[in-house]
Amino acid sequence: MHTQTMIATHPQVHGRMDDVLVRCIDLCFDCAQTCVSCADACLAEPAVDDLRQCIRLNLDCADICTATGTVASRRTDANDEIVRRLVEACAEACELCAAECGRHAEHHEHCRVCADTCRQCERVCREAAIAVGAAHH
């Protein structure tokens, strides 16, 4: 991804990078794609009725991850408080999605991959929330 390059070249950033926020942005977009793919794979499973909540959480998590990555990418007069709240919400969505996908991981490899990706995104979002919160105060 080109996140680091794009943010580093932003006129208001002046080359000062928040590495944890860059990792968070990259993982948010990666997690969104993984969740959409997992939801689609769940829809193709024979027992799709058993995966209804998983699909819902996949799609909710994907939307939240996309919104978080998009807003966190904007650096012009950045609103750190909104970014902090978004990454916190994203961490919560990832935690819920990982738990639900984890319930199906033994039977569906796509759910295992999604759960792992969500857990990774959750961890980095929690780190980013702390970093952005510290910068805000």
Side-chain angles (χ1 to χ4, degrees):
M1 295 190 136
H2 296 91
T3 306
Q4 186 167 3
T5 302
M6 289 305 297
I7 291 176
T9 60
H10 192 287
Q12 291 187 343
V13 172
H14 306 291
R16 291 185 310 271
M17 295 294 300
D18 183 342
D19 290 335
V20 72
L21 187 60
V22 169
R23 280 196 343 267
C24 179
I25 292 166
D26 283 342
L27 280 169
C28 282
F29 289 126
D30 183 46
C31 191
Q33 185 279 323
T34 302
C35 286
V36 168
S37 292
C38 187
D40 188 63
C42 286
L43 286 169
E45 293 290 349
V48 71
D49 285 347
D50 297 337
L51 297 167
R52 195 176 311 269
Q53 181 64 6
C54 191
I55 295 164
R56 173 61 189 261
L57 284 170
N58 281 161
L59 296 175
D60 288 350
C61 190
D63 287 346
I64 292 166
C65 285
T66 299
T68 302
T70 300
V71 172
S73 295
R74 298 180 187 139
R75 299 288 79 207
T76 301
D77 295 326
N79 186 335
D80 288 342
E81 184 61 17
I82 291 210
V83 171
R84 184 188 62 76
R85 290 180 187 198
L86 273 171
V87 295
E88 286 175 349
C90 191
E92 293 296 320
C94 287
E95 180 180 12
L96 293 171
C97 191
E100 182 64 26
C101 278
R103 291 181 53 235
H104 308 285
E106 188 176 312
H107 301 291
H108 305 294
E109 180 67 9
H110 52 86
C111 285
R112 186 198 61 74
V113 171
C114 191
D116 290 347
T117 304
C118 285
R119 285 185 197 103
Q120 185 180 14
C121 190
E122 175 195 356
R123 278 191 301 276
V124 174
C125 280
R126 292 198 193 284
E127 291 173 20
I130 292 167
V132 171
H136 180 69
H137 291 100

